[in-house]
Amino acid sequence: MSERGIRGGAKPQLPLPEGDALEHSQRLTALIRREIELAGGELPFDRYMELALYAPGLGYYTAGSRKFGKGGDFVTAPEISPLFAQCLARQCAPLLKALGGADILEFGAGSGALVADLLIALEPLDALPERYLILELSPDLRMRQRETLTRRAPGLLSRVEWLDNLPSDGFRGVVLANEVLDAMPVQRFRVAVGEVSEEVVRWEDERFVTRWAAPASPELSDAVAPLMESLSLDDYESEINLRAVSWLQALGEIVSAGAVLLIDYGYPRAEYYHPQRDRGTLMCYYRHHTHPDPLLLPGLQDITAHVDFTAMAEAAQQAGFSVVGYATQTYFLMGCGLDQLLAASDPNDLPSHMALVQGAKRLTLPSEMGERFKVLGLTRNLDTPLVGFAMRNMCERL
Ligand SMILES: C[S@@+](CC[C@H](N)C(=O)[O-])C[C@H]1O[C@@H](n2cnc3c(N)ncnc32)[C@H](O)[C@@H]1O
């Protein structure tokens, strides 16, 4: 994946949106413009990103566009192959059994592919959770998840509950978040001659533009100062996900016993804020085209940033979790027994065997998702080792 910065590149050549989509983007643009006006002329980048992705009824995730899969903008691991969920089932089963009467809580369940395949795989392992809770910000995606379950696992639908907020404290079970952290709004910062500035979005000459401004709150400077010092950042632009830190704190308040698996693309801090990545990691996805301009086509494209896994591990520890594992997706899936699942597939049933082999390749090859995606494992009041990290655990790199 290219990691060019936002500015300085040629305008990306993207497919033109159709009439309805364009109108939708114009409605969201008008809403963001109104909020910019009300705020006195500019909005911090993270608020722009929040509106672009989650403005009620209009944001990329909250409106009805296709998003996932071939006809959408990008493909995620649960969409690629049921092997992903089957591996996770082999990780969740011993944990759910050790906890006894425990639940699964999935954040941002996308099309519902993971919940369906995971429940289907847990049933024969005699390890179904009491309840499978889904916290999903998008009403449209909730509907799609219910449809997927009704079609693929109707007998297991009664175990699934959609939540509006985090469950109250005392949660026991396994928390899953696949590609959720990368979809949280990030603040963009610039460090130059010892000064931190924050990117803000304005409306000028009939389009959104950005500029660097003094940080709106001391929170950003406080968080960037130690990075600046320890990594000697200068003339450097990047992102920081302070919302993910608060999210982990909130999770720490409700999980009484269990495990958390955070799966996403990202790096440990020193690699994240590497000198070569001096324009950050922000990327946009529109109909399988990848480009770095978040101001284009608001509401029609996904906007994401890579995850600083060191920051996540530190926030998790502060929230009362033990950081027990960090591995590439390849090693995690292998630790969960991906090769055994493949070996059990019947090579005489050529079409499904080939589909599984192809899926396994996409999930694990370094040129595909295998190395770019990592898994961070956290536990609290749980002694059962996590099998996904048995083959290789790179916690020391965090
Ligand atoms: C890239 S999609 C991934 C969907 C799915 N997990 C998958 O792998 O196909 C990101 C998802 O995260 C959700 N999301 C982002 N922030 C969230 C939060 N704070 N709580 C719950 N869901 C969130 C979005 O609504 C969206 O469904």
Side-chain angles (χ1 to χ4, degrees), residues 95-397:
L95 306 180
L96 292 169
K97 284 183 181 172
L99 288 161
D103 297 332
I104 291 179
L105 167 59
E106 184 184 356
F107 284 85
S111 69
L114 180 59
V115 48
D117 285 329
L118 188 51
L119 287 174
I120 290 169
L122 284 169
E123 194 169 27
L125 299 177
D126 199 17
L128 280 172
E130 290 286 301
R131 297 175 306 161
Y132 193 110
L133 309 172
I134 296 180
L135 191 52
E136 173 60 66
L137 303 178
S138 159
D140 166 60
L141 288 176
R142 280 185 186 208
M143 245 159 55
R144 273 184 67 188
Q145 291 152 15
R146 185 179 284 280
E147 277 163 23
T148 303
L149 281 160
T150 309
R151 193 166 22 88
R152 310 243 339 260
L156 298 168
L157 182 59
S158 59
R159 288 184 190 258
V160 183
E161 281 176 35
W162 282 265
L163 306 178
D164 291 321
N165 297 300
L166 280 177
S168 48
D169 57 357
F171 175 85
R172 292 170 56 78
V174 182
V175 178
L176 300 173
N178 187 59
E179 286 206 47
V180 171
L181 297 171
D182 73 75
M184 290 185 184
V186 287
Q187 280 164 285
R188 296 207 73 245
F189 68 87
R190 175 175 160 78
V191 174
V193 236
E195 290 283 318
V196 179
S197 38
E198 176 170 17
E199 189 165 60
V200 293
V201 179
R202 306 169 60 84
W203 179 260
E204 277 176 20
D205 301 327
E206 296 306 301
R207 63 195 177 101
F208 291 118
V209 294
T210 58
R211 74 170 189 104
W212 297 105
S217 73
E219 213 191 359
L220 179 67
S221 308
D222 291 350
V224 173
L227 300 177
M228 212 158 61
E229 224 178 274
S230 62
L231 301 169
S232 310
L233 302 184
D234 195 25
D235 187 16
Y236 197 92
E237 294 171 21
S238 192
E239 296 83 35
I240 191 161
N241 190 343
L242 297 180
R243 295 179 192 225
V245 172
S246 314
W247 179 78
L248 273 165
Q249 271 158 2
L251 213 51
E253 278 163 29
I254 62 133
V255 175
S256 66
V260 180
L261 293 171
L262 305 177
I263 309 164
D264 229 305
Y265 38 90
Y267 317 99
R269 177 171 293 146
E271 273 177 70
Y272 191 99
Y273 296 111
H274 190 276
Q276 280 177 351
R277 224 163 257 129
D278 63 354
R279 292 299 170 262
T281 70
L282 204 80
M283 291 306 294
C284 306
Y285 294 83
Y286 177 65
R287 300 214 219 145
H288 298 276
H289 289 257
T290 311
H291 71 89
D293 190 345
L295 305 180
L296 286 182
L297 301 174
L300 302 186
Q301 65 171 358
D302 193 15
I303 308 173
T304 79
H306 280 52
V307 175
D308 170 357
F309 277 106
T310 306
M312 296 302 96
E314 286 173 359
Q317 271 167 339
Q318 272 162 23
F321 291 106
S322 304
V323 177
V324 294
Y326 176 64
T328 62
Q329 178 163 293
T330 302
Y331 277 114
F332 181 81
L333 297 180
M334 299 287 279
C336 292
L338 178 67
D339 50 345
Q340 293 150 29
L341 289 167
L342 275 177
S345 143
D346 177 4
N348 295 318
D349 180 356
L350 205 55
S352 33
H353 184 67
M354 286 310 291
L356 274 193
V357 172
Q358 284 305 330
K361 281 188 183 169
R362 288 185 71 189
L363 292 173
T364 57
L365 281 179
S367 55
E368 301 267 353
M369 301 180 91
E371 285 191 359
R372 208 154 44 87
F373 280 73
K374 316 287 190 320
V375 185
L376 183 68
L378 317 171
T379 58
R380 183 178 224 167
N381 297 326
L382 178 70
D383 294 331
T384 317
L386 302 198
V387 291
F389 303 105
M391 196 167 267
R392 183 106 195 255
N393 193 339
M394 312 188 297
C395 266
E396 78 290 347
R397 293 213 192 153

